[in-house]
Amino acid sequence: MESLKPRPTDVMVKCLAELIRDGEVVYHGLTSQIPVLAMAYAWRRLGRRFTWLSVSESNMPVVERVRVEPSSGGPGTEPLSVGVVTTMDVFDLAARGRVDVMFFGAAQIDAWGNTNLTVIGSYEKPKVKLPGGAATAFLFPLVKRILIWARHDRRTLVERVDFVTGQGRWRVERGLETLLCTNKALIEFTREGPVLRALHPGVSVEEAQAESGFKLLVPEEPRVIEPPDELGMRIIWEHDPEGLRYLQKYG
Amino acid sequence: MPSSKLASLGEAVELVEDGASITISGITFSRNPMAFIAALVKAGRRDLYFIDREPGLGLDVLAAAGALRGVRAAMATFELYGLMPTLRRLVEEGRVEFLEDTCGAVIAGLRAAAYGLGFMPVRGVLGSQLVELHERAGTWRVIRDPFTGEEVVAVKAIEPDVAVVHAHYCDEYGNCVIEGPRYEDELKIRAARRVIITAEQIVESDALRRLPHTLSSTSVHVDAVVHAPGGAWPTAMYGLYPADYDAIREYRDYAREGRAREWIEGRLLSRWGW
């Protein structure tokens, strides 16, 4: 067994897991090793019971058998699925308002929760051609709660995104829950602005603010996200024995 | 009675002309029709326009072989292995045009073509800057629902010239079965003008007589059937073989150094006797 000492990545896993509620319909997409671990953590450590769906088109997999791989869209991650539920099917459910939770990454995110996964620089002359938003633009207006994970620094949390892939403002103006788990904090996007809800252990409000390119609101003392305990860490390692979750370099 | 469509890779590749629009089966590192992609590279196809929801390895190999003029996709990624090693560079250098799409809209466009319609409205999407890109490209238009007045995005039908789908088994006529995740492959088969099935196994039609499930493709959809065992390698084939991540990572490392061609010839084409 590798070190059971939780790292910021593991705290992100738990932060996301705590935002999944009983009875919900939860779907994850590609490059979603951290969300997969959050789903497993919610199921096994927090005892949450929800409908597990995925871009790998699995349905209600045997959670104990879930193992993250370099791809979260292939048949290897979630074995023993109950039949096949296509992404098309899930997206039709989303269009009818029946998907509760979806996870998205962001290369840039602004104070409204607008995300950019398209391009750094201009679309016509990109400095960096990013992978693209996948279902971001389609699902942002449709899913009840969007959970975003990203690195907490001023290159990612920006005043202005170079391209609005995910229409966070559209959501926030309509009161749809939009939350961001970083490797330092939990931020909720609201009509009033981005609210600092919680901090990783050892991170101060000042540090979270200094690493953000927009002003964080702190209406009350943020709580501390307790890191995963030993049992929680054992569960995370069981689902990710190679430590692939650390490859995204969130610490 | 339909006619036999059995063909070799070399024969089937003649159905894809330079400049054609093409879509392939699978997702990032799963069930890509790699044998057929090898055939496209061997045949030196040029100026292809690639359309897919969430492509990975197959797309980058075509990009590295210089086969592409443009790409339309919702996400093009190597997932934990990073950005698309070759395509990314070609788009940044302005040598391949990229139209970013979003999953639900790709599905809607394929549905329109499969349903014999000119367009399909889709929910969501509004508020994203992707709308501007597609209105400029002439691929989407914001319209009003004639019944409710609600604003929706109309996606113009996506009718690829060719769909290439790697399946588990198929008879000589094109009645095929995909097991496990389908992604949009069954829709692509119905949306494309021409369909090429590569299959792990060719079976007698009699073996499908008691099949209790719907077929992934029927003889009416399909133009060529190719026997290609191991034809998804190094991407995964549900129930048969996992993704060969060592090989995929090796490709990525070659491609990052601009040596993708060496890997494609040495590791992929050689596998198919070229």
Side-chain angles (χ1 to χ4, degrees), chain A residues 212-223:
Chain A
S212 304
F214 48 75
K215 176 100 185 78
L216 297 171
L217 304 180
V218 192
E220 51 191 89
E221 186 66 16
R223 72 181 169 84

Side-chain angles (χ1 to χ4, degrees), chain A residues 27 30-31 33 55-57 69-75 84 86-88 91-92 95 117-118 123-124 126-138 141-142 162-165 167 170 244 247-248, chain B residues 27-30 53-54 74-81 83 88 91-92 98-105 107 111 122-130 133 136 180-184 187 236-238 245:
Chain A
Y27 177 93
L30 292 179
T31 328
Q33 288 74 17
V55 71
S56 72
E57 308 204 331
E69 287 191 353
S71 167
S72 61
V84 172
T86 62
T87 286
M88 285 202 293
F91 287 0
D92 287 344
L117 278 163
T118 300
Y123 190 85
E124 291 69 26
K127 205 175 328 158
V128 182
K129 155 72 183 101
L130 298 169
T136 301
F138 169 63
L142 303 176
D162 290 1
F163 189 97
V164 179
T165 317
Q167 53 278 55
W170 197 102
L244 293 175
L247 288 181
Q248 288 189 304
Chain B
I27 200 166
T28 49
F29 300 148
S30 293
R53 174 165 62 94
E54 291 180 318
M75 175 178 261
T77 179
F78 266 36
E79 299 201 56
L80 275 193
Y81 293 151
L83 300 172
R88 173 222 168 158
V91 173
E92 287 168 2
F98 193 95
L99 179 61
E100 183 172 323
D101 214 304
T102 185
C103 295
I107 292 168
R111 272 186 178 149
V122 64
R123 264 192 188 284
V125 190
L126 291 170
S128 169
Q129 263 186 283
L130 293 180
L133 296 184
R136 224 179 300 144
R182 311 292 202 282
Y183 310 111
E184 284 76 62
L187 192 55
M237 192 68 188
Y238 175 87
Y245 287 115

